[in-house]
């Protein structure tokens, strides 16, 4: 009998070719995009399981279809594991990804036109935190706060408080997609309490690092709602979770289903439960600490080599390099040069970037994926050196080919979980 993989090769060789090509790309190079990671083999197995076949509209014990014994079991497991890891009252594990997760949270607790405060996109916020190009940016009246370049990118809470007092937002959102610092959640909560606002922390990038107790937990500061994706630093499937205090349980659940979504993807829910179970193990805490140590090592290597980093370094798993100031090239040129040497990053705007999003001034780098492969500080120093050399001479094709050979030789010693060698 042919295996599922053999069946794919026989019946759809074009897709099989793309699959094997992506496996080779991931194994022979290194992912340095901070929102990407290599998931567990058990997660890949669960994603491709018979749970894909099952419709499960509703919630455990209250489904609209029969045959839910095992789907109820996995969803309850996912909820309980998340509650233990994040020390919260309730968790909804059905959001299909990060953007609908945040939309469901807003729509559960706000009305269209309400005033909401969120981080400006170019200063590190996410599209769903009020960017004008997103539907959420049009649906609500957003106050966009920024970081202070005079204090290495810290948030000026006096300015934030004054804006909150003037506009009286219904919700204050904190969280980021390209901000190289950890948050102090207490000032957000204090300001929100002063103006009568709800608090929501979107920790999608650092959800795993919070679960692994490497970074601060917003619930410890009294936050009302915390959202996170389940991939990135969590190493799970692509999906989302909304965690909240007990008083918001009903509103959150009704907003996800039937408000925004239909039947959940139960293969994804099962894979989320697997990842959350992994996050409960001591090895995961060690992994999270190594992610942060690797980020510090990479930042040091880049700074020592003359690169300029937004906020002057990193206090989490990521960093943003100003390529214009560092090398006289924009982020798209930098991304392409690093692609040529098998280091995958993404072009990124910097605070108040004068350049457009497809030709921004920076690139964004992160260490979760490389750490998953077992790389440590010495490998980060080597990768930093490769990056600096490539970015100094992005048009040197022979030099880039030589660097690619060195990067691939390094990667060969660190297999990717779940990919055949």
């Amino acid at each position: 009998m042919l295996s599922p993989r053999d069946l794919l090769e026989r019946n759809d060789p074009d897709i099989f070719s793309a699959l094997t090509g992506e496996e080779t790309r991931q194994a022979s190079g290194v992912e340095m995009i901070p929102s990407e990671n290599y998931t567990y083999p058990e997660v890949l197995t669960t994603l491709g399981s018979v749970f894909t076949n099952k419709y499960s509209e509703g919630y455990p014990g209250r489904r609209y279809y029969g045959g839910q014994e095992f789907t109820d079991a996995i969803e309850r497991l996912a909820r309980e594991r998340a509650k233990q890891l994040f020390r919260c009252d309730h968790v909804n594990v059905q959001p299909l990804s990060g953007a609908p997760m945040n939309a469901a949270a807003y729509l559960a607790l706000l009305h269209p036109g309400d005033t909401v405060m969120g981080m400006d996109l170019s200063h590190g916020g996410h599209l769903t935190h009020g960017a004008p190009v997103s539907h959420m940016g049009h649906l609500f009246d957003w106050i966009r706060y920024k970081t202070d370049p005079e204090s290495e990118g810290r948030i000026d809470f006096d300015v934030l408080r004054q804006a909150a007092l003037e506009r009286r937002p219904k919700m204050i959102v904190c969280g980021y997609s390209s901000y190289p610092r950890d948050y102090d959640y207490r000032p957000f909560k204090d300001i929100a309490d002063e103006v009568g606002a709800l608090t929501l922390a979107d920790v999608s990038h650092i959800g795993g690092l919070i679960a692994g107790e490497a970074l601060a937990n917003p619930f410890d500061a009294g936050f009302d709602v915390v959202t996170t994706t389940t991939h990135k630093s969590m190493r799970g499937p692509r999906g989302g979770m909304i965690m909240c205090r007990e008083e918001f349980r009903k509103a959150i659940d009704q907003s996800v289903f039937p408000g925004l979504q239909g039947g959940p993807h139960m293969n994804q829910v099962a894979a989320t439960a697997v990842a959350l179970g992994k996050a409960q193990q001591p090895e995961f805490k060690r992994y999270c600490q190594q992610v942060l140590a690797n980020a510090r090592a990479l930042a040091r290597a880049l700074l020592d080599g003359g690169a300029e980093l937004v906020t002057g370094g990193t206090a989490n798993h990521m960093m943003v390099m100003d390529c214009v100031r560092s090398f006289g090239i924009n982020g798209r040129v930098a991304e392409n040069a690093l692609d040529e040497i098998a280091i995958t990053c993404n072009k990124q705007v910097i605070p108040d970037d004068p350049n457009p999003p497809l030709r921004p001034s920076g690139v964004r780098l992160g260490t979760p994926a490389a750490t998953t492969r077992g790389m440590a500080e010495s490998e980060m120093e080597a990768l930093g050196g490769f990056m600096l050399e490539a970015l100094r001479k992005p048009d040197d094709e022979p030099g880039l080919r030589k660097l690619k050979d060195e990067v691939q030789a390094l990667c060969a010693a660190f297999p990717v979980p779940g990919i055949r060698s």
Side-chain angles (χ1 to χ4, degrees):
M1 180 181 292
L2 294 177
S3 70
R5 191 179 179 95
D6 291 336
L7 284 170
L8 179 63
E9 182 177 14
R10 174 200 282 182
N11 295 323
D12 201 331
D14 292 336
I15 296 297
F16 183 79
S17 176
L19 171 63
T20 56
E22 178 63 13
E23 288 176 339
T24 299
R25 187 195 69 82
Q26 290 190 21
S28 61
V30 60
E31 300 286 344
M32 300 298 291
I33 297 173
S35 56
E36 295 192 5
N37 210 332
Y38 308 105
T39 194
Y40 299 99
E42 299 95 321
V43 166
L44 292 175
T45 297
T46 315
L47 283 172
S49 71
V50 295
F51 283 117
T52 303
N53 302 336
K54 189 63 189 145
Y55 253 117
S56 301
E57 288 184 350
Y59 293 101
R62 293 177 57 85
R63 306 284 191 185
Y64 289 81
Y65 292 74
Q68 304 291 346
E69 175 184 358
F70 300 106
T71 54
D72 280 2
I74 59 172
E75 186 163 349
R76 287 188 175 112
L77 272 173
R79 283 178 172 182
E80 289 305 313
R81 289 172 179 178
K83 285 165 62 176
Q84 292 169 20
L85 285 166
F86 288 90
R87 301 187 295 280
C88 61
D89 297 333
H90 177 64
V91 183
N92 188 303
V93 296
Q94 292 191 8
L96 303 180
S97 61
M101 164 192 78
N102 283 342
Y106 299 152
L107 293 167
L109 304 174
L110 301 169
H111 297 288
D114 280 351
T115 301
V116 189
M117 177 174 278
M119 195 174 202
D120 185 90
L121 181 64
S122 78
H123 283 246
H126 188 259
L127 282 169
T128 58
H129 300 170
V133 294
S134 75
H135 285 313
M136 295 301 103
H138 292 283
L139 195 57
F140 302 105
D141 177 22
W142 288 86
I143 312 165
R144 299 179 184 93
Y145 59 86
K146 298 184 176 184
T147 58
D148 180 8
E150 301 300 320
S151 61
E152 294 188 322
R154 291 176 173 81
I155 295 169
D156 188 330
F157 284 102
D158 290 334
V159 172
L160 192 151
R161 176 177 177 272
Q162 187 58 42
L165 288 169
E166 291 174 1
R167 298 283 300 278
R168 298 281 170 173
K170 296 290 182 65
M171 176 183 284
I172 295 179
V173 177
C174 67
Y176 48 79
S177 63
S178 62
Y179 183 58
R181 291 194 173 279
D182 192 12
Y183 266 154
D184 180 358
Y185 297 101
R186 178 56 62 182
F188 286 104
K189 176 62 175 171
D190 290 344
I191 293 169
D193 287 347
E194 187 175 2
V195 299
L198 297 168
T199 46
L200 184 150
D202 176 1
V203 300
S204 291
H205 264 271
I206 57 172
L209 301 174
I210 292 170
E213 299 182 346
L215 292 178
N217 185 338
F219 283 118
D220 291 344
F223 264 59
D224 298 306
V225 179
V226 176
T227 62
T228 185
T229 50
T230 50
H231 43 295
K232 299 175 183 159
S233 57
M234 188 79 72
R235 290 193 62 196
R238 293 186 176 274
M241 300 193 303
I242 304 174
M243 300 169 281
C244 63
R245 291 165 48 190
E246 182 62 31
E247 66 188 276
F248 303 116
R249 172 201 291 260
K250 184 176 180 180
I252 292 292
D253 284 352
Q254 288 182 344
S255 185
V256 174
F257 174 83
L260 193 67
Q261 296 181 181
H265 297 175
M266 295 311 297
N267 58 326
Q268 174 187 312
V269 172
T272 296
V274 170
L276 292 167
K278 291 281 191 179
Q280 292 178 316
Q281 306 307 311
E283 296 80 29
F284 189 76
K285 289 186 178 181
R286 292 192 288 271
Y287 163 75
C288 292
Q289 292 296 335
Q290 190 63 54
V291 168
L292 299 184
N294 282 354
R296 291 191 295 269
L298 179 59
R300 280 196 303 271
L302 295 173
L303 290 167
D304 290 347
E308 291 199 23
L309 301 181
V310 172
T311 75
T314 183
N316 54 27
H317 65 302
M318 77 168 80
M319 60 218 70
V320 178
M321 185 192 306
D322 186 332
C323 299
V324 173
R325 292 174 64 90
S326 301
F327 307 103
I329 59 176
N330 66 48
R332 182 169 67 181
V333 173
E335 179 190 278
N336 291 339
L338 294 181
D339 260 345
E340 289 296 320
I341 67 168
I343 294 176
T344 305
C345 70
N346 69 278
K347 52 188 170 291
Q348 180 67 39
V349 295
I350 64 171
D352 298 321
D353 201 329
N355 290 332
L358 291 178
R359 290 187 296 103
S361 297
V363 294
R364 188 178 63 155
L365 302 162
T367 55
T371 308
T372 293
R373 294 175 73 159
M375 295 183 186
E377 288 92 335
S378 61
E379 286 75 35
M380 296 302 105
E381 292 167 5
L383 289 170
F386 298 147
M387 291 180 198
L388 290 166
E389 194 170 345
L391 296 177
R392 290 189 188 111
K393 297 181 179 180
D395 298 321
D396 179 8
E397 293 185 10
L400 294 179
R401 284 196 296 271
K402 179 178 179 294
L403 286 170
K404 183 176 182 178
D405 290 341
E406 295 183 69
V407 171
Q408 291 184 328
L410 173 66
C411 290
F414 297 93
V416 175
I419 292 182
R420 295 184 175 188
S421 59

